[in-house]
Amino acid sequence: RPQLCSTLRRAAQPTMLHATDLSLLDVSAVAAHAQVLINAQVASLANSLHRLQTSGIYSHAASSPFCSMLGVCPPPPPLCSAFGIGCPDLASALSSAYHGALEQHYYSTTAAQAFALVGAGDALSQAIERRGGGGGEYDPARTVRMALLGLLIGGLGTACWLRHLEAALPGHDSAARVLQKAALDACVWAPLANSGYLVLTPLLEGRRPEEVASMVRARFVPVMRTELCTFFPYNLVSFSAVPPLLRPFSTGFVSMCFAVYISWITHRREAMTTREQQQAEATG
């Protein structure tokens, strides 16, 4: 038993020595090592924040500091990056396909989207007219006519105008450049586009040229007034924030809303005349 106790005491001596060594460790070395690790993490976070700031206010989730630090986020598709949308896989694929179509078939893509948007706008306009007492059934031929005009004026004309305007006055470095573009659009292209709608719409419906000229004189100023109130503020935003390749889409969407107004005001007098005739026949 005394030998066993002696052996146990000798076995315990290294353990006691290690405990003593732990108390003698260099605390400054541990602190220095921890400081190096903290500095590395801070530098990584600062770099990620810089990338987030330079990517714009509405950046894709892949630009967030956590995604950048972990390296698990795929690069965002172009359309999602432009509008800051966190897209699922299907939307990302559609966005990339749309962006590729714009790059490879610019005018075909803008014409197709304008046809769809203006056609949908006219269908909505007819629904508004029927609810307002215009009567009658839905006229698909009228929707096709307006969609074809949208393809010609909005899909080809507006897309060509925006491309040449950006080539002549590239960028948005200053407020003066943005105002210059918006003013040129309002003074040059807007009168041409609105006149095209006001003239061609009744002509395609079989109206006489004299009647069309009278309609244009009566409606051009109200339409241009609404144009300036709608598109001039929009163009200030568009020329400042929307990428040039995507402007036909955003302009087409706003144009769809404006086409509802154009289509409605073009056919409003016809509906009013019909109601007046019906009332006259009823009282006569």
Side-chain angles (χ1 to χ4, degrees):
R1 183 177 299 178
Q3 292 178 353
L4 179 59
C5 292
S6 177
T7 302
L8 291 175
R9 281 195 299 271
R10 286 195 300 268
Q13 286 179 357
T15 304
M16 295 174 61
L17 180 60
H18 290 319
T20 304
D21 289 343
L22 286 175
S23 64
L24 297 178
L25 286 175
D26 190 352
V27 178
S28 61
V30 175
H33 182 67
Q35 186 65 37
V36 170
L37 294 177
I38 292 173
N39 291 340
Q41 295 297 324
V42 170
S44 176
L45 180 60
N47 187 31
S48 299
L49 289 174
H50 176 73
R51 288 198 298 269
L52 177 65
Q53 293 171 354
T54 55
S55 63
I57 298 176
Y58 300 102
S59 59
H60 190 267
S63 300
S64 66
F66 302 104
C67 277
S68 300
M69 290 171 61
L70 297 176
V72 296
C73 297
L79 185 60
C80 293
S81 299
F83 293 100
I85 305 172
C87 301
D89 293 339
L90 178 59
S92 299
L94 292 175
S95 172
S96 298
Y98 174 72
H99 191 270
L102 281 175
E103 289 183 335
Q104 299 176 14
H105 309 286
Y106 178 73
Y107 290 110
S108 299
T109 304
T110 57
Q113 71 186 14
F115 181 89
L117 290 172
V118 176
D122 181 76
L124 177 60
S125 177
Q126 291 194 51
I128 294 173
E129 292 169 15
R130 290 196 300 273
R131 290 178 63 89
E137 299 294 330
Y138 170 70
D139 185 3
R142 172 183 146 178
T143 298
V144 172
R145 288 193 299 267
M146 294 302 296
L148 289 174
L149 287 178
L151 184 154
L152 176 65
I153 298 174
L156 299 177
T158 299
C160 182
W161 163 255
L162 290 175
R163 172 170 278 189
H164 283 82
L165 182 63
E166 185 64 25
L169 301 170
H172 51 276
D173 298 334
S174 63
R177 175 59 58 88
V178 174
L179 285 172
Q180 190 176 11
K181 290 181 181 180
L184 285 173
D185 187 86
C187 296
V188 177
W189 177 244
L192 293 176
N194 292 328
S195 297
Y197 277 113
L198 292 174
V199 171
L200 294 177
T201 298
L203 283 178
L204 291 175
E205 294 175 348
R207 304 290 183 89
R208 296 190 308 273
E210 298 80 7
E211 186 179 0
V212 172
S214 177
M215 293 170 61
V216 171
R217 285 194 297 268
R219 300 173 184 177
F220 180 77
V221 173
V223 168
M224 282 302 303
R225 188 182 299 116
T226 305
E227 160 82 24
L228 292 176
C229 294
T230 304
F231 275 90
F232 192 81
Y234 159 76
N235 281 330
L236 293 177
V237 177
S238 176
F239 292 131
S240 300
V242 180
L245 196 62
L246 300 178
R247 283 175 194 157
F249 174 80
S250 59
T251 302
F253 181 79
V254 178
S255 296
M256 180 191 72
C257 301
F258 190 68
V260 173
Y261 169 78
I262 290 287
S263 180
W264 173 71
I265 198 173
T266 301
H267 297 87
R268 181 180 61 176
R269 181 164 297 184
E270 180 181 352
M272 294 175 61
T273 303
T274 302
R275 287 200 301 270
E276 291 174 357
Q277 292 176 353
Q278 291 175 350
Q279 290 176 359
E281 292 175 358
T283 56

